[in-house]
Each structure stands twice: as structure tokens, then as C-alpha cells.
Amino acid sequence: MRKPIIAGNWKMNNTAKQGVQLVNELKPLVKDANCEVVVCVPAIDIPAVAEALKGSNIALGAQNVHFAEKGAYTGEISADMLKEYGVKYVIIGHSERRQYFGETDETVNKRTLAALAAGLTPIVCIGETLEERETGKTEEVLDRQITEGMKGIDDISKIVIAYEPVWAIGTGRTATAEQANETIGYIRKKCAEVFCPKCAEKVRIQYGGSMNAGNCKQLMAMSEIDGGLIGGASLKSADFSAIVHYDEQGLKLNKDLL
Ligand code: 13P
């Protein structure tokens, strides 16, 4: 069975001090979580947050990684540098990086393969823009992001996929649970086709885009949705911990029973 994974993407928020304060608030609130809990923090927060997370059930994630092992790449951070601080997960190909920092399926692919080779678990983000959805191109875009961005991955179940429709990020406009479930089902089907059916059954696929304490239980009740990648609502301990405890909100106590 796929273990649900709730990850916070702090984006460019929280200084190291503020980050430590946030995780110190979070630790007791999520200590009994049934799902995997991750916080993906700004690179410069990593040393302090790693220290604060010691002995807790919260895993540490980064928001990007370079594809080279080392060398003349001013401003970049390697997988080994992340690993030395106990980083386990790394977000790759977030739509904000694709939109503002020239990230392409090719660079996503290189970063993903480098992260896997170093033993990190990539959280690879894919998703369509509003225009692409409205012009019926969603599947075409996802197909390209999967075949190009995930090319050469031996075992797709070693990554986490985050489906984040760009139009739902930071807009307060969430995909309906049915929409998200249907699209994530499509992503799984495509992974079965491109990789292998068994791996596709195992790979965890998160939903991301305005997920919050109010809508998480409905989203998480869907059979294809294995977790969330949370932006805004991961910045407050009460909101994020409520999402982590989606299973105690009444709808679903045990995903295996569905
Ligand atoms: P919001 O939850 O703020 O919409 O952001 C989603 C996201 O981009 C997570 O990576």
C-alpha cells in the first residue's frame, strides 16, 4: 500500500530562525501522524532546521538541487551538500522554477537522475496551466512532462510525483477532488505505460494547489491521491498539522480500507 505523504513547501518564506520556531511548534502537533511528514525549506535554513528536527518524525526536504556532483556552477547546491545535513527529499521542477527560472523538462530530468543517484527522493512537480487545461491540452502536457522529465528512471516508485495544476497554486482555486483524482489517475496510467504497471501502482502521487485544512480530507479521501504538497498552508503550524491529521477529520481512518 502507498503510504500517504504530506509535504510543506515553504518556498521563499521563513528565515532560519523563523523556520526553527515553526518546526518547534510543529513537532508536538504531528508526532502521532499516520502519514509521512516533510518540510521543504529554503537552502539556507537547512542546517538550523535539520538540527531542530533531530529525533522527530518530520523529514527534511530541499526545494531544488543541481545536477552536477560539483564544480563551476555559481549559486547552485549539490546533492551531497544536501545529504550532509540529512536532507531526504528534494522538490524538482516546481512550476515557479519552470516559469521564472528557465527550468525545462530536460533540466528536471537531469536533476531528478542526479538526486536519485545520490540517494535523495525527488518530488517531481508536473501540471498544466489554465490555458492548457482550457484548450484541452492537459494530457498532452502531462505526457511530455512524464516522458521527458522522468526519462531514464529505473524505478519510478523511487520518486514522488506532485500534480500541481498551475492555475490552482496560490490562487485559492483548488481543483475539485474529482478533477484532481481523475488527472492523477491519468498520470498513474501514463506511468504504467511508460515505465511498468507495478511501479505505477507503487508510486506516490500528491496533489498540490491551494490545499488547506478545509479541503484536505476530501482530496485525501480520493483513491488516487497519496498526499499533498502544501504551499501557503504549510507556513502556520496549526494549518499544516491539521492537514497532516486529515485522517482524523472523520472521513478516512485507514486508506487501506477504501
Ligand atoms: P499553495 O498551497 O500556496 O497553493 O502552493 C502550492 C504549491 O505550489 C506547493 O508546491
Side-chain angles (χ1 to χ4, degrees), residues 9 11 94 164 168-170 209-210 229-232:
N9 173 11
K11 308 192 179 183
H94 191 280
E164 300 206 313
I169 297 178
S210 299
L229 187 55
I230 325 294

Side-chain angles (χ1 to χ4, degrees), residues 7 22 30 56 72 85 94 99 109 114 129 155 157 173 176 182 188 195 201 204 214 216 233:
L22 176 54
V30 303
S56 78
Y85 283 100
H94 191 280
Q99 193 180 347
N109 186 244
T129 62
D155 180 354
S157 68
R173 187 175 162 181
T176 63
E182 191 187 322
R188 198 178 301 286
F195 303 99
E201 263 316 298
R204 292 180 296 176
C216 63

Side-chain angles (χ1 to χ4, degrees), residues 4-245:
I5 173 167
I6 301 289
N9 173 11
W10 291 0
K11 308 192 179 183
M12 197 175 73
N13 294 289
N14 289 327
T15 64
K17 261 191 201 162
Q18 291 165 336
V20 167
Q21 195 182 333
L22 176 54
V23 296
N24 281 337
E25 285 171 24
L26 261 179
K27 282 190 291 186
L29 297 175
V30 303
K31 68 176 181 353
D32 302 321
N34 294 326
C35 60
E36 230 170 294
V37 186
V38 185
V39 287
C40 299
V41 311
I44 200 163
D45 294 6
I46 286 173
V49 172
E51 191 59 35
L53 289 179
K54 275 194 181 141
S56 78
N57 62 331
I58 306 173
L60 185 55
Q63 298 177 8
N64 194 16
V65 64
H66 197 259
F67 37 79
E69 271 178 42
K70 60 179 175 177
Y73 299 100
T74 303
E76 293 294 320
I77 291 175
S78 74
D80 280 350
M81 294 171 189
L82 299 175
K83 281 193 64 182
E84 195 169 282
Y85 283 100
V87 169
K88 294 267 183 304
Y89 291 90
V90 58
I91 297 174
I92 296 175
H94 191 280
S95 62
E96 287 150 17
R97 294 214 60 86
R98 294 179 190 256
Q99 193 180 347
Y100 307 130
F101 301 102
E103 195 80 65
T104 63
D105 291 323
E106 191 192 344
T107 56
V108 167
N109 186 244
K110 287 164 89 171
R111 291 182 204 280
T112 303
L113 294 176
L116 280 170
L120 293 168
T121 301
I123 301 177
V124 180
C125 301
I126 59 176
E128 79 287 359
T129 62
L130 185 58
E131 194 196 341
E132 288 162 345
R133 176 159 282 257
E134 284 177 345
T135 52
K137 296 207 177 101
T138 300
E139 295 186 357
E140 187 187 314
V141 169
L142 295 172
D143 287 357
R144 196 200 64 228
Q145 290 173 333
I146 293 168
T147 51
E148 299 299 316
M150 300 177 196
K151 196 162 48 186
I153 298 180
D154 273 349
D155 180 354
I156 193 78
S157 68
K158 293 228 166 84
I159 73 167
V160 174
I161 299 173
Y163 168 59
E164 300 206 313
V166 180
W167 46 272
I169 297 178
T171 56
R173 187 175 162 181
T174 331
T176 63
E178 290 74 20
Q179 257 174 343
N181 195 53
E182 191 187 322
T183 313
I184 289 179
Y186 177 78
I187 293 168
R188 198 178 301 286
K189 195 177 100 204
K190 188 74 194 174
C191 286
E193 221 178 276
V194 175
F195 303 99
C196 78
K198 251 196 190 153
C199 315
E201 263 316 298
K202 274 186 10 197
V203 67
R204 292 180 296 176
I205 311 180
Q206 299 172 309
Y207 168 77
S210 299
M211 193 159 166
N212 58 39
N215 58 27
C216 63
K217 69 177 177 185
Q218 219 187 342
L219 286 159
M220 289 300 293
M222 291 288 155
S223 59
E224 297 287 354
I225 303 181
D226 304 315
L229 187 55
I230 325 294
S234 72
L235 299 175
K236 293 219 171 92
S237 54
D239 292 347
F240 189 60
S241 61
I243 300 173
V244 165
H245 290 287

